[in-house]
Amino acid sequence: MPFHKNEVCGMVSLCEGLNGLSFYSPVPLVSVHVDVKVVNFTAQVEVTQEFVNRERNPIECVYFFPVEEEAAVVDFTAELEGRKIQTQIKEKEAAREEYNQAVRNRQTAFLLEETKPDIFEIKVGHLSPGAGCKIKMTYLSELPVEEGKTKLTIPTTVAPRYIPMSDGSPEAIKIASIEHDFNSPVQMEMNLEVLMQTEIKSIKSPSHSLTEPARKKVKEYFEADVKFAGQTTNMDRDMIIYIDTDEPNKPKVIIEKNNEGSSVAMLSFVPELKLKDHQVEAVFLVDCSGSMSGQSMNLAKEALQVFLHSLPFNSFFNIIIFGSTFQSLFPQSRKYDDDSLKDAKDFAAGISANLGGTEIYQPLQHIFQKPLMAGLARQVFVLTDGQVSNSSACIELVRKNSSNNRVFTLGIGSSADRHLVKGMARAGMGTAAFTTQGEPITAKVINQLKNALQPCISDVSVKWGKTSPFEGGGEVAVEIVETKKTLFGYGKPESKTERKFAIHSHVPSKFPAIYDGSRLIAYKLLDKTMDVNDEITVRAKTTEGDLEVSLPICKDSFIQGNCLHQLFARKMIQDVEEKHEQENFEESNKLITEMGLKYNLASKYTSFVGVDEKHGNSGTFMVTRHVKNQLPQNTSSGQDFVSMKCRKKRVARHIVLQDNLVQSCAGASFLSPPGTAPPARSYEASYDQKESLDCSNSSDLFIIGASKQWQHKTESTMSGQSSSSDVLRLTMCQA
């Protein structure tokens, strides 16, 4: 029978059984609720997920969930059948071993691991038949300013990522295992509470329909509460909300003291400045890979047209489009005039998402290797959905070339890769912006171009107190005095060494370039307390002289808690990962681990784990159920993503096929749930077998349309054995 007791119970997916017989299995995720609290320019997001096992066997639930890439994941709690399960932050390998051992002992266990800074994996192991659990993940995030408004972004789905053949990292292996469906796993609910020190004018969303704000005044704060209009929504796009207040750009200094007596200062201000434009070479790198099909390609072409029509006439420019390969409009950048503009407009009008995989590393490298044009500052504009697995390598490439190339990024579509888009802009001392359907794009493009025409203001330093020195150069010179009582060097400086990072420091270690209208946030773990009437001073060296601003500390600057400490620690971890880990792996690993354990943060080396003390009674084996992420909004239903990843000894494949294509792959029979139409349209095949597919194609992400044929060869056939190395697993999703 396809269901226990022949009952339909919620959303289902089709799973493979023995001897080629497939059956429907209930999706274990039954609800997602998001509670958001915004205070000034920070947000606390609590994501509560409920899982229920409606099967006869114990199950392991695996769910990859997105977060804002700069967010600090600070808590992970679990409740099983009304009992609260104690969770702890531990080193990743220790947490993973504790989880695996508990599952072997038939205990229900919970694990939260970072896959990438913007993707986390949640596991619920050995959930007994009929049992239910709730887990809650909490993260903190800074909020940027865009067009004078505070912008809140909450990702809800992990889009399919392109995995280059050269990327054999553990992250790529994890990303390749993420499964997708056109349907939302559940309907999501959301409550948003906004507290501001100035009056809240409006709360609007270009991505979702919201209720009218319920307003009230709570002490010194103005408060407004909103929900989704209609209560629930699909999880197929980023949730984007703009909060308009009287003074969104007002400088702020907050000093937090925690229970251990430690103090962290946070500085936030939005510069307002206008410098003389400089002459530039603008290189537009446009993503034309298959994942950009549909609305994303339209947005990219619209943005490119605005860029082209807005360039100053004393500039030079070029356009490079990329996918599995790349090509340039001109062999070399050309002067911007009527003729070159016409050529560019004709070229831009003809581009489409037909270049295969997202091989972004090679065209970036090609641009950086080009000689600089005399007297011109090179500005690189990247227009992409950024759905790749090797984002860290791309960010490192940009960082290594940032002395001669500024990089500005525009994330395209409803679920752009926030780690790649924001990370490349940070590394390239530029700015990042995101655009999706329903948002006006012109203002975003003009702002990016305005920033690029401004001379780079990267020499920024901060004085944390009237008597403190200015800091911001990145590396700290440390003097070590010889204390050994010998005739050689006693009492004299032994040497001067450059410390790459220190716990008692500010972050970012080197302050980013500042731009008109873009928020700058910096943290300092204080060596000594600061008092009322003290001040923090920011200085920036520009071509037109030094610019300074001093921010006074008042009695309202002081708070109690641990949130700023955790944001400081997250920012330091990001700083270490992006600026030091390549050259100082062991020291970086140690520092990231220490920060994660000390401040209760999930990171690439620390994870949350919890184990139920009770042992399960079921003697049957556990089966794993993956909760599938919904494909991003406006994904073309006539095309399907095929993510392929080759390995030396085996090939792992996760392929989405359509209509009659799957009919040629397997002769498995499919059973429909009672009272439902036969399943059709979207199928997914997963391969885990040696050399089962031809890997000679240089692209391992490509698009298959309904009219194209898919050929494959296998060395083994469906069998009744449960071997993971030679069984063709066929899973079908309802369309």
Side-chain angles (χ1 to χ4, degrees):
M1 292 185 296
F3 279 101
H4 309 320
K5 299 182 181 179
N6 246 14
E7 294 176 356
V8 179
C9 40
M11 190 172 181
V12 297
S13 62
L14 192 65
C15 303
E16 173 213 349
L18 299 179
N19 300 318
L21 182 65
S22 297
F23 64 95
Y24 279 91
S25 170
V27 174
L29 181 67
V30 297
S31 73
V32 173
H33 192 100
V34 180
D35 290 291
V36 188
K37 185 174 184 178
V38 172
V39 181
N40 293 322
F41 48 87
T42 59
Q44 175 183 282
V45 181
E46 294 182 346
V47 182
T48 303
Q49 301 166 353
E50 185 175 0
F51 296 86
V52 175
N53 180 8
R54 297 192 178 99
E55 301 187 46
R56 292 173 178 167
N57 293 334
I59 63 172
E60 177 185 49
C61 310
V62 180
Y63 187 26
F64 290 88
F65 195 81
V67 301
E68 174 57 57
E69 65 100 30
E70 294 181 271
V73 178
V74 299
D75 198 16
F76 180 67
T77 61
E79 183 180 297
L80 176 66
E81 298 293 290
R83 306 189 308 277
K84 186 174 182 180
I85 307 301
Q86 184 68 35
T87 58
Q88 291 180 294
I89 190 76
K90 294 188 175 183
E91 292 189 34
K92 175 172 279 189
E93 291 304 320
R96 190 176 291 174
E97 176 56 32
E98 182 174 335
Y99 171 86
N100 290 334
Q101 184 60 48
V103 170
R104 287 193 291 268
N105 293 338
R106 297 178 181 173
Q107 295 171 274
T108 302
F110 305 86
L111 182 66
L112 175 69
E113 286 188 344
E114 176 185 309
T115 300
K116 286 178 56 182
D118 57 345
I119 302 174
F120 282 77
E121 181 185 21
I122 295 169
K123 284 187 174 182
V124 180
H126 210 279
L127 188 62
S128 300
C133 68
K134 286 185 179 180
I135 60 173
K136 181 188 293 183
M137 175 176 66
T138 303
Y139 63 88
L140 306 174
S141 181
E142 305 163 354
L143 302 180
V145 168
E146 191 170 298
E147 298 179 32
K149 300 178 179 65
T150 300
K151 183 180 181 181
L152 169 68
T153 302
I154 300 177
T156 66
T157 190
V158 179
R161 297 291 199 267
Y162 171 75
I163 302 172
M165 296 291 290
S166 59
D167 188 1
S169 64
E171 293 81 7
I173 296 172
K174 284 278 190 181
I175 290 168
S177 71
I178 301 175
E179 300 181 10
H180 296 86
D181 195 348
F182 282 103
N183 294 317
S184 182
V186 292
Q187 293 291 294
M188 182 178 68
E189 300 180 16
M190 185 273 295
N191 291 326
L192 170 63
E193 178 185 6
V194 179
L195 290 94
M196 295 285 181
Q197 290 179 314
T198 56
E199 188 172 356
I200 301 169
K201 295 180 180 179
S202 66
I203 301 176
K204 296 182 178 179
S205 171
S207 61
H208 294 77
S209 297
L210 303 178
T211 60
E212 283 296 317
R215 306 172 188 270
K216 59 183 176 181
K217 184 79 180 292
V218 180
K219 295 183 179 179
E220 71 272 22
Y221 283 97
F222 294 87
E223 182 179 333
D225 300 328
V226 298
K227 299 181 178 181
F228 290 134
Q231 300 301 316
T232 63
T233 187
N234 285 342
M235 299 172 66
D236 62 350
R237 59 198 183 277
D238 292 346
M239 187 194 313
I240 302 168
I241 297 174
Y242 290 95
I243 303 167
D244 190 9
T245 62
D246 277 341
E247 298 180 44
N249 301 347
K250 185 178 179 180
K252 290 182 176 66
V253 174
I254 301 176
I255 300 171
E256 178 188 76
K257 187 175 182 179
N258 67 11
N259 293 333
E260 298 176 357
S262 170
S263 294
V264 165
M266 180 172 71
L267 158 72
S268 167
F269 80 103
V270 180
E272 295 181 6
L273 50 89
K274 174 61 179 175
L275 302 178
K276 293 180 181 178
D277 291 347
H278 63 161
Q279 193 175 2
V280 301
E281 175 199 7
V283 181
F284 302 100
L285 182 60
V286 184
D287 188 349
C288 291
S289 64
S291 63
M292 290 284 290
S293 62
Q295 188 63 38
S296 293
M297 194 72 252
N298 295 335
L299 288 170
K301 293 171 71 171
E302 182 183 352
L304 183 57
Q305 292 287 354
V306 175
F307 272 123
L308 292 174
H309 283 281
S310 305
L311 283 172
F313 273 97
N314 64 346
S315 59
F316 285 68
F317 78 102
N318 203 352
I319 301 172
I320 298 176
I321 60 175
F322 73 93
S324 297
T325 59
F326 63 91
Q327 62 186 83
S328 303
L329 169 60
F330 307 122
Q332 304 291 336
S333 292
R334 278 180 51 180
K335 184 174 175 57
Y336 182 76
D337 55 28
D338 289 341
D339 291 336
S340 60
L341 175 60
K342 182 180 184 306
D343 290 343
K345 288 169 60 179
D346 292 343
F347 180 78
I351 65 176
S352 61
N354 62 351
L355 294 186
T358 314
E359 290 283 357
I360 188 173
Y361 189 95
Q362 286 78 12
L364 276 172
Q365 192 173 48
H366 170 77
I367 293 170
F368 296 150
Q369 289 173 346
K370 287 280 188 180
L372 295 174
M373 302 185 73
L376 300 180
R378 181 184 289 155
Q379 318 294 314
V380 182
F381 298 88
V382 183
L383 286 66
T384 180
D385 60 8
Q387 295 168 359
V388 294
S389 66
N390 64 335
S391 54
S392 295
C394 295
I395 293 169
E396 177 64 14
L397 177 66
V398 171
R399 186 186 68 81
K400 288 181 177 179
N401 292 275
S402 60
S403 59
N404 294 322
N405 303 269
R406 269 199 297 180
V407 175
F408 298 83
T409 53
L410 182 63
I412 305 288
S414 56
S415 186
D417 187 329
R418 304 186 68 80
H419 182 226
L420 179 78
V421 173
K422 297 178 76 171
M424 288 200 304
R426 277 194 305 271
M429 293 190 293
T431 54
F434 294 84
T435 186
T436 188
Q437 186 178 17
E439 285 189 285
I441 197 172
T442 301
K444 296 175 185 287
V445 171
I446 295 299
N447 188 64
Q448 290 285 73
L449 186 58
K450 179 194 73 172
N451 292 340
L453 295 176
Q454 169 193 296
C456 186
I457 307 176
S458 59
D459 191 349
V460 182
S461 55
V462 177
K463 185 166 70 171
W464 301 89
K466 293 178 180 179
T467 61
S468 300
F470 278 96
E471 302 177 70
E475 297 185 350
V476 182
V478 180
E479 187 174 78
I480 301 175
V481 176
E482 177 62 68
T483 57
K484 189 176 181 180
K485 292 188 176 183
T486 71
L487 292 176
F488 301 97
Y490 173 68
K492 291 186 176 182
E494 176 186 332
S495 63
K496 287 190 175 181
T497 60
E498 296 292 320
R499 295 183 61 189
K500 296 296 183 183
F501 32 77
I503 292 295
H504 286 276
S505 185
H506 57 81
V507 283
S509 58
K510 179 174 174 55
F511 291 110
I514 60 174
Y515 294 94
D516 177 50
S518 296
R519 190 190 302 279
L520 171 68
I521 296 180
Y523 301 87
K524 172 72 173 178
L525 184 61
L526 299 173
D527 297 318
K528 57 182 180 180
T529 59
M530 302 182 73
D531 301 318
V532 175
N533 299 324
D534 207 340
E535 65 182 19
I536 294 176
T537 303
V538 183
R539 175 192 292 168
K541 295 183 181 296
T542 76
T543 55
E544 300 177 23
D546 290 356
L547 304 178
E548 276 194 12
V549 61
S550 294
L551 309 177
I553 295 172
C554 61
K555 63 178 182 179
D556 293 333
S557 300
F558 297 90
I559 63 172
Q560 295 285 327
N562 204 44
C563 291
L564 291 193
H565 284 74
Q566 291 173 316
L567 286 170
F568 157 79
R570 175 67 186 95
K571 183 67 73 173
M572 175 164 280
I573 288 172
Q574 180 188 77
D575 207 61
V576 171
E577 289 175 344
E578 294 184 355
K579 298 177 182 177
H580 306 296
E581 192 170 20
Q582 291 287 327
E583 295 82 10
N584 301 274
F585 177 78
E586 290 186 6
E587 188 178 354
S588 299
N589 183 320
K590 182 179 178 181
L591 180 56
I592 293 171
T593 302
E594 288 178 354
M595 298 295 281
L597 296 176
K598 180 175 181 179
Y599 294 102
N600 212 57
L601 296 177
S603 70
K604 66 191 304 181
Y605 301 124
T606 53
S607 305
F608 284 97
V609 65
V611 176
D612 183 23
E613 294 181 356
K614 294 181 62 177
H615 290 252
N617 296 322
S618 175
T620 57
F621 61 88
M622 183 184 75
V623 294
T624 297
R625 301 294 184 221
H626 287 260
V627 178
K628 299 176 184 179
N629 274 259
Q630 186 173 11
L631 287 168
Q633 186 185 39
N634 296 318
T635 297
S636 174
S637 60
Q639 293 176 322
D640 299 293
F641 292 98
V642 181
S643 181
M644 303 168 65
K645 182 180 61 173
C646 294
R647 290 296 175 264
K648 185 175 181 180
K649 292 187 176 180
R650 68 178 186 176
V651 181
R653 290 294 182 266
H654 295 267
I655 301 176
V656 178
L657 306 170
Q658 183 178 347
D659 294 325
N660 62 328
L661 298 182
V662 76
Q663 306 296 336
S664 63
C665 313
S669 59
F670 302 105
L671 303 176
S672 298
T676 65
R681 305 207 65 79
S682 178
Y683 297 81
E684 174 170 311
S686 169
Y687 295 84
D688 189 4
Q689 66 192 110
K690 296 181 180 179
E691 307 302 328
S692 61
L693 293 178
D694 182 5
C695 300
S696 59
N697 193 334
S698 62
S699 168
D700 46 6
L701 175 70
F702 52 93
I703 302 300
I704 292 182
S707 62
K708 295 186 180 181
Q709 294 182 353
W710 179 64
Q711 296 179 344
H712 71 287
K713 55 184 179 180
T714 59
E715 295 178 351
S716 55
T717 58
M718 297 289 293
S719 70
Q721 305 299 318
S722 58
S723 170
S724 62
S725 63
D726 63 358
V727 176
L728 172 67
R729 297 184 181 82
L730 187 62
T731 308
M732 185 178 71
C733 320
Q734 290 180 321

